[in-house]
Every structure is written in C-alpha cells, then in structure tokens.
Amino acid sequence: MTDWIVPIAPAPDAPLCVIALPHPGGGPGFYQSWAGADGVEVLAVQPPGREARAAELPITDLRRLVRQTAHEIAGLCESRPTALIGHSGGARYAFELTRALERANRGPALLGVSGVSAPDHPYWTGTAERLIADPVTAYLRNGGGAAIPEQVKQDRGMLESFNALIRADARLYTGLGIQKPVRLRCPIAAFAGDEDPLADPKDMAGWQEWAVSPEAFTLHEYPGDHFYIRHHFPAVLADLLTDLAHAASAGLAAR
C-alpha cells in the first residue's frame, strides 16, 4: 500500500471491504474506532495535506483528486464486495469516486453517504464558499467543535494549518451547482443525524433518486447533529456491512 492508504482494520482475507474517505479538515484517524472490526477489512484514504501527509500541499481540484484516488485504490478489495463511504464533504468525494470507478467498470458494490445532501439539493449552491470564508466558525456552528483536536485549538500555528486544510477541501466543491439525478449502478446507504442542521434525515432521503433503483436505498437515522457519527461509529459500521452483504447477495450492483 502507498501513503494514500491507511489500514484501519487490516484483514486481506475478510469477505467484505470498506474504503473510507475523509471529510473537510479530517483524515484517516477519524475512522480509528473501526480498528477492531471483525469480518471486514477497513481502509482509509489519506490524500496529501492531512495527518501523516500534513507537509504536502492539498489537492484542490476535485477531478484530479478523484482520478488520483481511483489510481491509488486500484486492485484493493476489487475481488470482494466493497463499500465506499464518506462523511460530510467526504460523502460527495465518495460519490464522485464511485461515478469515476463505474465509468471504468470498477464500481463498488455499495456507496455509503453520511451527513451531506445529494447533488441535486440546494446545499451545493453556496456552502463551500461559506466554509472557505470562516472554517472554524462553520465547524462550531454545526457541532464540529469536538472534531477539532484540543491540541489544534490551543496552538495558533496548528489552527491556521487546520483552517488552510478546510479551505483547500472546500475548494474541491465550489462551483458544482445543482445537478439533476442520474442513477448510479450500485445501491446507496445513507446515514443521518436527526438534528443535523446541514443534512437531516429528510434531506438525506433525497439520495434515493441516485441509487441504482428506488428499492436499492436505505436510510439510517441516529441521534445527534452533523457529527453524530462520532458517537455511533459501531452502529454505522454494522448497518453499512448489513447493507453491503445484502447488496452482494442480491446482486444489486449493475456491472
């Protein structure tokens, strides 16, 4: 594996695989709670600019990031049912990666999206610009204060670097606009916090229009705000794996 891939739960012989994508300002460590998972290999993508790659310049072009990520994960888990999942902006990253992989006939068996609305939602008309303007305030307003390490909050230099990374990540999503639904070849599992001000369960239900069929969509709801997932990692993984196993056994993904 390259420095792009961090093995959270290395298990190359496991029957299922999950590849997790980072949210704006986040990195592979966000998914560390899945380190002890059984029956699945969990890998996290680590693009330039975060955690062990903090000294590298972040990629700010979404097409380039998707293209490079597709190259880096080539051959990983492709012989077994695999789910891509991302939280917040990482879910849009996972979605765009899924589209690219499907064009190459290498699509996942399942797409997992957490805490962000589908590409046809008004969310995509200006949120990235607001995040660029004041990253920390946006984080705090949406319940992300706990997702910012205390060490970062207390160190001015680290806080400035954190701001720069979020701004770089937000630039990935500027100018996307609202898109009309075009169905993927795979099912979608959506995950929502019931008090998420950015993407509540009603908003997340909109992803059904993007799944391979209306029946190939599941919506999982948990108590909490935009970063609800921090308190429900085991449940989210369990639900994701249930949906992945169902997709694989039912042959829901169209090749």
Side-chain angles (χ1 to χ4, degrees):
M1 293 186 187
T2 69
D3 51 3
W4 276 79
I5 306 299
V6 175
I8 301 297
D13 295 327
L16 302 173
C17 183
V18 169
I19 300 177
L21 286 297
H23 63 277
F30 185 69
Y31 297 100
Q32 194 58 41
S33 295
W34 291 346
D38 292 325
V40 61
E41 180 166 35
V42 180
L43 307 173
V45 174
Q46 180 177 247
R50 61 204 76 219
E51 296 189 11
R53 306 184 70 187
E56 301 177 50
L57 289 176
I59 295 173
T60 57
D61 179 83
L62 184 58
R63 286 178 294 182
R64 179 187 165 202
L65 178 62
V66 166
R67 185 169 59 250
Q68 186 67 34
T69 305
H71 173 75
E72 297 295 339
I73 68 172
L76 296 178
C77 303
E78 290 185 359
S79 62
R80 48 198 162 142
T82 299
L84 298 183
I85 185 171
H87 175 69
S88 191
R92 182 62 185 261
Y93 179 7
F95 167 75
E96 297 294 346
L97 180 58
T98 296
R99 289 211 291 194
L101 292 172
E102 287 188 344
R103 287 194 292 269
N105 294 316
R106 294 169 43 213
L110 178 73
L111 170 64
V113 290
S114 169
V116 82
S117 298
D120 58 329
H121 191 277
Y123 172 88
W124 296 103
T125 59
T127 301
E129 288 78 0
R130 290 191 291 274
L131 195 58
I132 289 171
D134 192 349
V136 171
T137 298
Y139 246 64
L140 295 175
R141 183 183 298 124
N142 296 306
I148 304 175
E150 197 62 35
Q151 183 182 8
V152 172
K153 296 178 185 178
Q154 301 301 323
D155 186 302
R156 184 177 182 84
M158 293 183 70
L159 190 59
E160 289 178 355
S161 296
F162 181 74
N163 272 335
L165 177 57
I166 298 178
R167 287 192 173 102
D169 282 345
R171 288 189 180 94
L172 293 167
Y173 308 109
T174 56
L176 291 179
I178 299 175
Q179 301 179 13
K180 293 182 179 180
V182 177
R183 293 194 182 276
L184 298 173
R185 300 182 193 173
C186 69
I188 296 177
F191 302 85
D194 61 1
E195 296 182 5
D196 186 345
L198 296 182
D200 63 19
K202 182 179 179 181
D203 291 331
M204 294 296 293
W207 280 102
Q208 184 176 30
E209 298 298 318
W210 297 79
V212 62
S213 67
E215 298 77 21
F217 173 79
T218 52
L219 175 60
H220 304 280
E221 182 177 337
Y222 311 86
D225 55 23
H226 185 58
F227 280 91
Y228 77 90
I229 191 172
R230 295 181 63 253
H231 308 289
H232 302 284
F233 269 115
V236 169
L237 182 60
D239 288 336
L240 180 69
L241 294 181
T242 296
D243 290 346
L244 176 57
H246 175 67
S249 65
L252 293 176
R255 296 292 178 178

